[in-house]
């Protein structure tokens, strides 16, 4: 019985200090003087350890243990969402974890000019790196256009048999 008291006397303060350290790390950001923005991309299929490595490498957190502990204790280790996230160095572990588990990704503003055809929109989205033409048409549930009349180079111009379209300039659209 005396041995148990000695062990408890040593381990209890260590355990208490560890718990206090974890709580401090969860709710207090480490870089309060700075507010530099950090963008982190979590890829589809990234697990907890890959995600925490990216966050730590970019400087959003200083220690991995509080983040991993918090995510595991809250049961969110399987709820990490893929996407690009923006953090600042004033955010604490709880804020960062809730942002990633809820999927609050960086939103990108895209301007679509009135009068643009679906082809024009596809080209624009591909130019800014948002998605490929193929992905857009697949998402829209449409087959990808195969004719020059729709604006793609190197594809066949197949509008024969329609008198009204005889003088249609190459590259123009019916929209």
């Amino acid at each position: 019985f005396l041995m148990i008291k000695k062990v408890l006397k040593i381990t209890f303060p260590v355990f208490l200090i560890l718990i206090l350290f974890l709580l401090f790390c969860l709710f207090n950001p480490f870089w309060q003087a700075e507010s530099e923005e950090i963008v982190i991309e979590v890829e589809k299929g990234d697990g907890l350890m890959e995600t925490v490595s990216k966050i730590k490498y970019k400087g959003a957190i200083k220690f991995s243990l509080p983040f991993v502990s918090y995510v595991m204790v809250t049961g969110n280790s399987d709820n990490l969402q893929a996407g690009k996230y923006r953090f600042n160095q004033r955010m604490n572990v709880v804020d960062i974890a809730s942002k990633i588990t809820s999927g609050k990704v960086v939103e990108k503003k895209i301007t679509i000019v009135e009068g643009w055809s679906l082809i024009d929109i596809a080209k624009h989205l591909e130019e800014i790196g948002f998605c490929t033409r193929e992905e857009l048409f697949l998402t829209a549930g449409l087959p990808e256009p195969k004719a020059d009349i729709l604006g793609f180079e190197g594809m066949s111009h197949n509008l024969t048999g329609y008198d009204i379209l005889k003088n249609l300039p190459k590259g123009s659209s019916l929209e």
Side-chain angles (χ1 to χ4, degrees):
F1 186 69
L2 203 51
M3 180 73 148
I4 293 173
K5 276 188 171 184
K6 283 184 179 181
V7 170
L8 283 176
K9 216 178 221 184
I10 295 171
T11 57
F12 182 73
V14 171
F15 183 70
L16 186 62
I17 290 170
L18 180 64
I19 294 294
L20 290 174
F21 173 73
L22 285 174
L23 288 173
F24 176 78
C25 291
L26 287 178
F27 298 104
N28 290 314
F30 287 98
W31 315 101
Q32 295 207 8
E34 300 177 31
S35 64
E36 179 183 327
E37 285 200 346
I38 300 166
V39 176
I40 296 167
E41 184 163 1
V42 178
E43 301 287 333
K44 187 174 183 176
D46 279 358
L48 177 59
M49 296 317 290
E50 292 93 349
T51 303
V52 78
S53 294
K54 290 177 182 181
I55 295 169
K56 185 177 176 186
Y57 177 76
K58 290 282 192 155
I61 60 174
K62 193 169 185 176
F63 303 106
S64 301
L65 182 62
F67 185 87
V68 171
S69 300
Y70 178 76
V71 171
M72 293 193 71
V73 166
T74 57
N76 287 320
S77 60
D78 293 330
N79 297 335
L80 302 175
Q81 305 288 317
K84 282 188 179 179
Y85 295 91
R86 182 175 291 132
F87 306 111
N88 66 48
Q89 292 177 323
R90 291 184 180 178
M91 293 178 76
N92 62 38
V93 169
V94 174
D95 294 337
I96 292 170
S98 65
K99 201 170 198 179
I100 292 177
T101 56
S102 65
K104 293 181 183 173
V105 296
V106 174
E107 294 182 3
K108 195 171 193 178
K109 185 176 180 178
I110 298 171
T111 303
I112 297 175
V113 178
E114 184 179 347
W116 275 3
S117 67
L118 189 56
I119 304 301
D120 297 327
I121 295 169
K123 284 181 181 178
H124 177 66
L125 293 178
E126 192 167 52
E127 285 172 2
I128 64 171
F130 186 77
C131 67
T132 65
R133 290 189 299 225
E134 295 81 19
E135 290 170 337
L136 178 66
F137 285 105
L138 181 66
T139 303
L142 300 170
E144 189 174 352
K146 301 292 182 200
D148 262 351
I149 190 164
L150 298 174
F152 290 104
E153 305 83 22
M155 298 177 191
S156 63
H157 189 81
N158 189 12
L159 292 173
T160 56
Y162 300 99
D163 290 336
I164 195 168
L165 302 174
K166 247 188 246 180
N167 298 322
L168 187 67
K170 187 174 182 170
S172 61
S173 173
L174 297 177
E175 295 179 358

